[in-house]
Amino acid sequence: MVGGVKVLETSADLALILAVISSFRDHPLPRDLVVFGEVGLSGEIRPVQNGQERLREAAKHGFTRAIIPFGNAPRQPIRGMEVIPVRKLTDALDELLKRDGLNAFETDAGIFDCGNKEGFLSANLAVGMRDSDTRQVIKALIEKSGW
């Protein structure tokens, strides 16, 4: 494969998504952050196998923060590590936004949470309605559908 990444384990889903977003935004993820979790089609974050072991190993290697699936949250605190359990992709993005200035999707039309249907549609409509040709297409589609 040229210019891509081959991922064989679903536990890398969340880390890969956050890495792509950080690259797109030209805002690197913090060096002390470890991330893992499977991401479902609707943005839910699913637990992965060996979550506790992953966290302990990450702490041994100097990571001090972790964004992980809620289902992998440790029962006991892990010394030297802040664990941030999340249920949805938007929760992980919110966490980065609060701490590291990362937005889900930002345009001159506004900031949008694209982790749900409403936010995704709002972002597309806001951007589309700014262009006169696209605005006409959107209006025609709405009229044709009878909404």
Side-chain angles (χ1 to χ4, degrees):
M1 179 182 309
V2 176
V5 175
K6 186 174 184 176
V7 177
L8 300 175
E9 186 179 0
T10 57
S11 64
D13 290 355
L14 183 57
L16 188 59
I17 289 170
L18 296 184
V20 168
I21 291 171
S22 75
S23 175
F24 176 73
R25 301 275 302 143
D26 197 25
H27 189 95
L29 294 172
R31 290 180 181 265
D32 67 338
L33 178 68
V34 64
V35 179
F36 63 83
E38 180 179 349
V39 180
L41 292 176
S42 64
E44 76 276 10
I45 307 300
R46 299 179 185 144
V48 301
Q49 292 184 340
N50 306 314
Q52 304 303 304
E53 292 84 1
R54 292 170 195 255
L55 286 171
R56 283 193 295 272
E57 284 299 313
K60 285 181 190 176
H61 290 283
F63 291 93
T64 59
R65 288 179 27 204
I67 296 178
I68 64 164
F70 188 84
N72 286 121
R75 290 174 187 79
Q76 301 294 325
I78 295 177
R79 187 178 190 160
M81 180 174 282
E82 176 188 9
V83 178
I84 305 155
V86 295
R87 295 182 190 270
K88 302 176 300 190
L89 179 58
T90 52
D91 295 341
L93 294 173
D94 285 345
E95 200 54 48
L96 289 176
L97 173 62
K98 279 188 258 183
R99 297 165 184 270
D100 303 310
L102 180 67
N103 295 316
F105 183 69
E106 183 177 2
T107 71
D108 58 351
I111 299 172
F112 300 92
D113 173 0
C114 295
N116 60 51
K117 292 176 187 175
E118 181 182 350
F120 178 77
L121 289 172
S122 296
N124 281 281
L125 287 173
V127 172
M129 293 300 279
R130 290 178 161 256
D131 176 72
S132 60
D133 292 336
T134 307
R135 184 174 37 251
Q136 296 307 316
V137 170
I138 292 170
K139 287 180 179 181
L141 287 170
I142 291 172
E143 288 173 9
K144 183 179 175 181
S145 71
W147 292 325

